[in-house]
Amino acid sequence: MSVIVELTIPSVEFELGRILRIEEPTQLTLETMVPLGGKPTPFVRIRNEVRETFERSVREHPSVNDIQLVDTHEDETLYALNWDPSEASLLRRILDLDAVLMGATGTADTWGLELRFPSHEALSSFQEFYLDEDIDVSIERIYNPTKPDAGPWYGMTPPQRETLAAAVEAGYYSLPRQISTQELADSFGISDQAVTERLRRGISTLVLNTLLIDEPDE
C-alpha cells in the first residue's frame, strides 16, 4: 500500500539543493524528475527576475553538464538540468525505490519535498539511506491516501480547495482561458507563485485520493 511523505531538508544537505542554491530571495519549484539515460533529470521552474543569476550559478557547478530552457510562461521559466549525480544522490535513491516526486519547492536555505512511496518498506529503506548518509531530513507528515481521514475535500487543505474552486468557476481551465494566475492571486491577496502552488498541490492531492487509490487487499 502506498504512503505519502512530506519532508523538509536544508539546501546544503543534499546535492541538488546545493546546485540550485542562489542567494537572491526567491522560490524554486521542482516540477518533476524523469530518469533519462540512467540518471534523474530534474525539471525546475523559477521566476524570471532571477533567471540570469540562476543560470550562471547552476552552469558554474562542476557536476552540471548543461541546463536547457524548456518553456517560458508569463513570469516563470522551466529548465531541464543535465547533471552527473553521485551514486549516493538523494534523488537517485528516491528513483531507485520507485518513489514518485509529487512536488518540491526550495529557497536558498530549505527545500520541502512531497514523495509517494509504493510501500512502507520502501519508505523505511529511504529513511535508512538518509540516516546512514547523515542527511538532516525532517519528516513533517506521513499519511496513506486510501485512509478515510483524507477528509471531506479528499485531503486538500481549505486554501487549496478554495483556490481550485475559484479557478474553475472563473474559467482558468477553460479554452480560451478566462483568468490568469496573477488575477487569481490578486483576488486572494497572495502572490502569483502562491496561487500556482496551491493549484498544483490541490490537483495532485485530489487525483491521488480519487483516481490513484490502491485496490484493497483481498
Side-chain angles (χ1 to χ4, degrees):
M1 184 174 290
S2 64
V3 59
I4 296 174
V5 179
E6 296 176 3
L7 60 87
T8 57
I9 179 172
S11 298
V12 297
E13 285 286 315
F14 74 116
E15 194 171 11
L16 190 61
R18 293 191 294 272
I19 293 173
L20 300 178
R21 189 171 186 266
I22 59 175
E23 295 300 331
E24 294 188 38
T26 191
Q27 186 177 66
L28 293 80
T29 302
L30 188 57
E31 293 285 331
T32 188
M33 191 169 57
V34 180
L36 298 175
K39 59 186 178 183
T41 299
F43 285 76
V44 184
R45 188 174 299 278
I46 189 166
R47 297 186 69 82
N48 288 339
E49 61 260 28
V50 296
R51 201 172 91 179
E52 291 184 7
T53 303
F54 173 78
E55 285 189 10
R56 182 170 59 252
S57 175
V58 172
R59 289 185 191 280
E60 290 175 353
H61 198 280
S63 65
V64 174
N65 300 318
D66 192 18
I67 179 171
Q68 299 174 339
L69 192 155
V70 177
D71 184 36
T72 298
H73 178 68
E74 295 181 352
D75 59 349
E76 295 181 327
T77 299
L78 180 67
Y79 291 96
L81 183 65
N82 182 337
W83 65 319
D84 293 317
S86 67
E87 290 300 320
S89 164
L90 185 79
L91 297 187
R92 185 188 290 277
R93 184 57 178 157
I94 289 170
L95 287 180
D96 288 345
L97 291 169
D98 293 326
V100 176
L101 178 70
M102 296 167 55
T105 56
T107 65
D109 300 317
T110 308
W111 275 82
L113 279 66
E114 189 173 8
L115 305 169
R116 179 186 173 112
F117 289 89
S119 65
H120 283 274
E121 289 75 15
L123 172 58
S124 295
S125 296
F126 174 68
Q127 291 174 311
E128 290 176 5
F129 167 78
Y130 69 70
L131 289 173
D132 289 344
E133 295 294 326
D134 198 25
I135 301 174
D136 185 17
V137 172
S138 297
I139 301 295
E140 304 296 332
R141 185 184 178 205
I142 299 177
Y143 65 98
N144 190 300
T146 65
K147 284 186 176 180
D149 61 3
W153 297 328
Y154 301 99
M156 289 187 292
T157 64
Q160 289 169 358
R161 183 257 183 192
E162 184 181 9
T163 305
L164 183 56
V168 172
E169 291 172 353
Y172 178 73
Y173 294 103
S174 301
L175 289 176
R177 183 167 288 173
Q178 303 298 313
I179 191 172
S180 68
T181 52
Q182 185 59 62
E183 290 171 317
L184 278 171
D186 291 342
S187 70
F188 285 102
I190 58 178
S191 69
D192 174 81
Q193 190 163 358
V195 160
T196 302
E197 185 66 12
R198 282 188 188 180
L199 293 175
R200 185 188 64 78
R201 285 184 176 272
I203 291 172
S204 177
T205 301
L206 183 62
V207 170
L208 283 168
N209 288 325
T210 54
L211 302 182
L212 299 181
I213 294 177
D214 296 329
E215 292 293 331
D217 296 333
E218 296 183 355

